[in-house]
Amino acid sequence: MPSASVLEKEKVVPMVFRRHGNTDPKNRGHALGNAKPASFYMHELERQGDKGGSLLLDASVLTATRPFNPQFIANDKKVLRFGAYFLEAVHESNLENYRVRCCDVLYYLEDDTMQITENKIENSGMMQGNFVKRHRIPMPESDDRGNLQFFTMHDFNVGRELTFYGRTFHLISADPFTRDYLTSRGVHIPMDEEVPRDPYTVLRQAHMARETGQDQDANYGKKKYPMKDFMEASLGKFARPNDHLRRFLAHDRDVLRFFAIWDDTEKLYGIRHRYTLHFFLADNTIEILESYERNSGCDPFPKLLNRTKLSKDPARQACAAVCDEGADGEDVTPVAQQNYYSWEDLAIGKYLQVYSRRILLLDADQHTRDWYNGHAMSLASAIPVKDEIIPRPVSLPPQHDGLGSEEDSLQSCYHLLPKAPLKSIESLDTTEVLRFRARFETTLPEDIGRRFVVSIIVSDQSVSIAEFVQRNSGIVGGKFLERTRVKRTRPDGSVVFAADGRPSWLGLDDFYVGARVRIAGRTFILFEMDEYSAKYMEARPAKFARSDKLEVLRKVRAELDKSALLDRMDGIQQKQQRQIDVEELTSLLDGLVTDFTQHEATTVIRNYGDKMSMKIDTETLPQLLT
């Protein structure tokens, strides 16, 4: 237990040096630094008491053990702010020679860095804000040894001029914190200075004073002010809303809409212009908007007439609309009101003279019609105006020059930089091929015996022709036509065009047994097909109608005359012929059935006759066909 004298001495020991009332030395690692424990201060108190001194600790003893406080901690978030300006020369201007630009110079005490910011001025046209980023700014001149020097806190004061990167800044003011801080360091701070005024700032302030109403001597051309009406009413004058205010309160957002047209077809290249007319009941103003159609060829100018009062006198329409309110607020006479269009002057079928344009009102929306009906003025029915539909000219592509494929050459008509035509995946499939045997339709003896194989690729309907090699014929066989698409041509060689102006191509419907196909200037007669082609067509009766057995029988039974058929069958039976082939069946029904081909005869024999010999019995034929 400490004695009473020790406890009395402990009262004057600062709390930071105590440890729960105990004066024992503190453990190592304490914030005091382990250099001088608490017992040191107790002995120091006893020593001063023995000498008859004060019981308070000496300041040198207490400060001797305080930890070191670095500058960036002691001056953290301490910034000196000075107001400054610099002069900027203005060239090529007759209003000013220079301009004053105000800035704030910030000096950060923690690391001796500087930052310059410029105050933003509305509509100045300059990039203002951060003028110089925060960093240490060097002085324009170096020291005697040539070392680079930087600005410090002692270089700043009100009234001084400092040069930063070629610009001279004049310090004119300091904030309260800066004044207190520098004054505590023994630096005298002069009074703040005023910012000089340049000619442009004076002219700009005078202009803004006139525009915002701060200048009471400026004439704004107004005859009456709302404050004047209020003061006169408060003094006892009878005040009623003028005509403008009355119409605004009664008809605000009430707009009548009419649809109009201006016929300008009398002029060269003139067209019919359609407009939308808006009549604002709040102030009797008219607005006319033009309605454009797609690809009309007109510039998209939005308005024919901006919102204004429209005079009935064409000579006065070029002048600006004047106010129809009297000098003292009283309403104008009805005679003056008649100089401008009102809602009573608008009616369907009436012409309006708008800047030398006679605009006809055609129709109105439902709201406008209801408004007129509520005022006992019904509008007439709409006037229909049909525009002349000019047929669009058909642009035909030029004829193919024969170089390359036509699809590839046609890309030059569609693109400035031609691109290869796209091909579908189906067009790349070459596994489905229909083959026919063919011969020439000719009377030349050297061409009568020539035989060909015509192949049609189903995917892209391209055609290739190969000729059989015949010994001692004098004609080289092999490839007769490279695989390509073939156009339909007439006997004179002219190309057949479709309805859209494009050339017509041979398709799958043009190839069947008995067909005559004109290819490469020669006419081929298809007289036989292979087994794969026959099965392929029979498996797809919807695509190949001549291979549909039911459709062929339906066609024959609908057109065949039974008596005529029996007469022809009697001639065959007299020859004691029990079976007939494809050619005989075709000749039997020739003239009895319209457009009966060998392909249809082949379909009948393959399904109802002997497929191996390709013949059908004459006894069952009449029962089958009738």
Side-chain angles (χ1 to χ4, degrees):
M1 181 70 182
S3 61
S5 60
V6 173
L7 294 177
E8 186 66 23
K9 295 178 182 180
E10 188 180 4
K11 293 181 180 179
V12 297
V13 177
M15 184 61 68
V16 69
F17 302 127
R18 299 184 189 179
R19 186 180 181 187
H20 306 296
N22 189 7
T23 58
D24 295 337
K26 296 183 179 180
N27 298 329
R28 296 183 62 84
H30 193 264
L32 294 178
N34 302 323
K36 295 180 180 181
S39 59
F40 168 79
Y41 301 99
M42 298 301 300
H43 293 306
E44 186 67 22
L45 289 173
E46 294 177 356
R47 185 180 61 81
Q48 293 183 7
D50 295 340
K51 293 181 179 181
S54 174
L55 294 178
L56 296 177
L57 287 176
D58 190 6
S60 61
V61 177
L62 297 178
T63 59
T65 59
R66 288 182 180 177
F68 173 71
N69 196 5
Q71 180 183 0
F72 69 89
I73 295 180
N75 296 328
D76 184 28
K77 298 182 180 180
K78 293 183 179 181
V79 183
L80 304 182
R81 180 186 296 269
F82 294 90
Y85 72 89
F86 68 93
L87 302 181
E88 182 182 30
V90 178
H91 306 283
E92 300 179 358
S93 176
N94 58 350
L95 299 178
E96 54 181 344
N97 297 327
Y98 65 92
R99 185 173 297 177
V100 178
R101 299 179 63 176
C102 299
C103 304
D104 289 337
V105 180
L106 306 179
Y107 185 86
Y108 296 85
L109 296 173
E110 56 180 332
D111 54 358
D112 296 333
T113 56
M114 294 176 54
Q115 181 183 4
I116 302 177
T117 60
E118 184 177 4
N119 301 327
K120 292 186 178 181
I121 301 177
E122 185 180 3
N123 298 328
S124 64
M126 295 182 293
M127 297 293 293
Q128 296 174 327
N130 195 359
F131 192 78
V132 177
K133 294 183 178 180
R134 178 180 174 181
H135 68 289
R136 296 187 67 188
I137 299 180
M139 291 185 176
E141 299 179 357
S142 58
D143 57 1
D144 298 338
R145 298 182 179 181
N147 298 327
L148 193 65
Q149 293 181 333
F150 296 92
F151 286 97
T152 61
M153 176 187 64
H154 304 288
D155 299 324
F156 292 86
N157 204 341
V158 176
R160 290 188 179 182
E161 291 186 352
L162 303 177
T163 302
F164 305 137
Y165 298 115
R167 293 181 183 269
T168 301
F169 292 80
H170 186 83
L171 306 182
I172 58 175
S173 63
D175 62 352
F177 171 78
T178 304
R179 289 183 174 274
D180 296 341
Y181 184 83
L182 294 179
T183 303
S184 64
R185 296 300 181 96
V187 180
H188 173 68
I189 306 298
M191 298 297 295
D192 294 345
E193 301 177 2
E194 294 184 357
V195 181
R197 305 182 66 182
D198 54 86
Y200 176 78
T201 304
V202 176
L203 294 176
R204 184 65 181 175
Q205 290 179 354
H207 173 73
M208 294 304 297
R210 292 192 302 269
E211 293 296 328
T212 57
Q214 296 179 0
D215 189 0
Q216 300 296 332
D217 298 332
N219 181 20
Y220 301 99
K222 295 184 178 180
K223 302 178 181 179
K224 198 172 186 64
Y225 296 93
M227 182 58 67
K228 180 180 178 181
D229 294 339
F230 174 76
M231 295 302 297
E232 290 178 351
S234 62
L235 294 176
K237 180 182 177 181
F238 173 73
R240 61 182 178 86
N242 54 32
D243 189 54
H244 280 289
L245 182 59
R246 178 182 58 80
R247 288 199 304 265
F248 175 77
L249 296 177
H251 303 294
D252 184 28
R253 298 185 181 181
D254 282 347
V255 182
L256 305 180
R257 183 170 64 170
F258 292 88
F259 303 100
I261 191 173
W262 171 44
D263 192 356
D264 192 32
T265 55
E266 297 179 357
K267 298 181 180 179
L268 183 63
Y269 306 117
I271 61 174
R272 292 179 177 177
H273 299 265
R274 294 187 177 271
Y275 299 99
T276 301
L277 185 143
H278 293 156
F279 186 87
F280 298 87
L281 296 171
D283 52 0
N284 291 342
T285 55
I286 294 178
E287 178 187 49
I288 302 179
L289 309 178
E290 188 161 359
S291 302
Y292 294 97
E293 298 179 356
R294 293 188 60 184
N295 301 326
S296 61
C298 300
D299 291 335
F301 196 77
K303 294 182 180 180
L304 172 67
L305 178 66
N306 200 4
R307 181 177 176 179
T308 183
K309 292 185 178 181
L310 184 61
S311 176
K312 296 180 181 180
D313 186 7
R316 297 188 57 188
Q317 289 183 0
C319 303
V322 296
C323 183
D324 58 354
E325 187 178 0
D328 296 331
E330 62 272 7
D331 296 340
V332 296
T333 60
V335 178
Q337 287 280 6
Q338 295 177 0
N339 294 332
Y340 300 96
Y341 282 104
S342 65
W343 63 271
E344 299 175 351
D345 301 323
L346 304 180
I348 295 178
K350 187 175 181 179
Y351 284 91
L352 300 182
Q353 193 74 17
V354 181
Y355 293 99
S356 302
R357 296 174 175 86
R358 297 183 74 248
I359 297 179
L360 174 63
L361 301 182
L362 299 178
D363 195 5
D365 59 358
Q366 189 61 35
H367 169 72
T368 304
R369 292 183 178 274
D370 296 342
W371 197 88
Y372 273 91
N373 292 334
H375 290 74
M377 292 180 61
S378 60
L379 296 176
S381 58
I383 301 177
V385 177
K386 296 183 179 180
D387 295 333
E388 297 181 1
I389 301 177
I390 301 176
R392 183 178 180 180
V394 179
S395 57
L396 299 178
Q399 294 185 359
H400 186 221
D401 55 1
L403 300 177
S405 63
E406 186 167 354
E407 293 83 357
D408 185 71
S409 300
L410 197 60
Q411 298 300 317
S412 301
C413 303
Y414 299 149
H415 305 282
L416 185 61
L417 299 177
K419 301 179 181 179
L422 300 178
K423 295 183 179 180
S424 61
I425 299 178
E426 292 80 3
S427 63
L428 301 178
D429 184 13
T430 59
T431 58
E432 297 179 349
V433 183
L434 304 181
R435 294 180 176 87
F436 297 87
R437 292 188 65 186
R439 66 175 184 271
F440 280 145
E441 185 182 19
T442 181
T443 57
L444 298 177
E446 62 271 16
D447 292 337
I448 292 177
R450 299 175 66 178
R451 295 295 180 265
F452 304 89
V453 175
V454 180
S455 302
I456 302 95
I457 310 299
V458 178
S459 59
D460 58 352
Q461 301 181 8
S462 58
V463 181
S464 63
I465 302 177
E467 184 177 1
F468 288 100
V469 178
Q470 298 182 13
R471 298 183 61 183
N472 300 326
S473 63
I475 298 175
V476 179
K479 184 181 295 184
F480 182 83
L481 178 66
E482 186 74 24
R483 176 186 172 185
T484 182
R485 295 189 66 188
V486 181
K487 298 179 183 178
R488 286 192 177 93
T489 57
R490 299 183 180 89
D492 57 354
S494 60
V495 180
V496 179
F497 291 92
D500 57 353
R502 297 183 179 181
S504 179
W505 303 87
L506 292 178
L508 297 178
D509 297 337
D510 299 319
F511 294 90
Y512 54 89
V513 179
R516 285 173 169 79
V517 184
R518 187 171 180 82
I519 301 175
R522 307 296 294 269
T523 302
F524 291 84
I525 300 177
L526 309 182
F527 61 89
E528 189 180 355
M529 62 180 172
D530 60 354
E531 185 67 19
Y532 172 81
S533 301
K535 291 182 178 180
Y536 184 88
M537 294 181 180
E538 291 174 357
R540 296 164 178 80
K543 193 174 183 180
F544 302 94
R546 292 183 176 87
S547 296
D548 188 359
K549 59 181 180 180
L550 300 179
E551 183 65 25
V552 173
L553 290 179
R554 191 180 300 111
K555 172 184 175 182
V556 173
R557 291 172 181 175
E559 300 181 8
L560 183 61
D561 188 2
K562 185 176 181 180
S563 60
L565 177 63
L566 294 177
D567 293 342
R568 294 190 179 186
M569 291 296 298
D570 292 340
I572 297 176
Q573 291 177 357
Q574 290 177 1
K575 298 179 181 179
Q576 296 181 357
Q577 187 176 356
R578 295 183 178 181
Q579 292 181 340
I580 57 176
D581 56 6
V582 175
E583 294 182 358
E584 293 174 345
L585 179 59
T586 304
S587 61
L588 176 65
L589 299 180
D590 187 18
L592 301 180
V593 180
T594 305
D595 193 18
F596 189 79
T597 62
Q598 292 184 8
H599 195 105
E600 294 172 332
T602 304
T603 302
V604 174
I605 295 176
R606 283 179 58 85
N607 291 275
Y608 302 101
D610 188 3
K611 187 183 296 186
M612 298 299 296
S613 61
M614 289 301 294
K615 293 183 179 181
I616 189 172
D617 295 339
T618 56
E619 296 179 357
T620 60
L621 186 60
Q623 299 178 0
L624 178 64
L625 300 180
T626 56

